[in-house]
Amino acid sequence: MVFGFVIDHPEGAIVVDTGVGQDNAFIDQAYAPTVRDLSDALSGVGVDPGSVVAVVNSHLHFDHCGQNPTYYGGGIPVFVQAEEVEAAKERFYTVPEWAAVPAAQLRALRGDESIAEGVTILSTPGHTRGHQSVLVEGGGQRVVLGAQAVWDIDEFDREEASPANVDAEDLRAAAVSSIRRLKALDPNLAYFSHHPGVFRRKG
Ligand SMILES: [Zn+2]
């Protein structure tokens, strides 16, 4: 299971991760995914697919950028960490055509970046070196879209970098720092890519 997210922003919708894509023979054979069309998913939560003004990819593994091509060829900016863009050029890292953001749309970031009022991208390395999360602030609430900073919500509670989520040993310390960084924001809510549980601030 992999979730994408949408920020219903006054300036237009901001999509965070686009899920698994369609019509890739290798992915279909290896994973036989049930793919929900992104435009349908947006309509399903009351967001006009035509209102999307930006895409953020937490990282470029195939299950997080699969429906990016829906937006390729237009003028919508796609925000990715520069290190992730480099990593995605390695063989077998991802599905290259899904991850290949056109140069005119690519916003390759080095660290944190505010991309709209109340919407800040945070560098949270761990699962990958170029992994990023999103902080949404508004109406006195702080919401973290933690993406794959953890696999399971319990790892967020325990501040644990599980080997399943962080297979590079040299990134485990960074992964724990990233979890602590997100928790230090004291979010009201935090959501993750692969777990349906929602972290809620206590008290
Ligand atoms: Zn991944």
Side-chain angles (χ1 to χ4, degrees), residues 59 61 63-64 127-128 148 194:
H59 62 298
H61 284 159
D63 52 334
H64 297 259
H127 173 61
T128 67
Q148 208 169 336
H194 294 290

Side-chain angles (χ1 to χ4, degrees), residues 17-18 55 57 60 64-72 78 98-99 101:
D17 284 350
T18 60
V55 173
N57 288 119
L60 291 173
H64 297 259
C65 68
Q67 293 184 60
N68 272 29
T70 309
Y71 301 104
Y72 292 168
V78 180
W98 295 349
V101 183

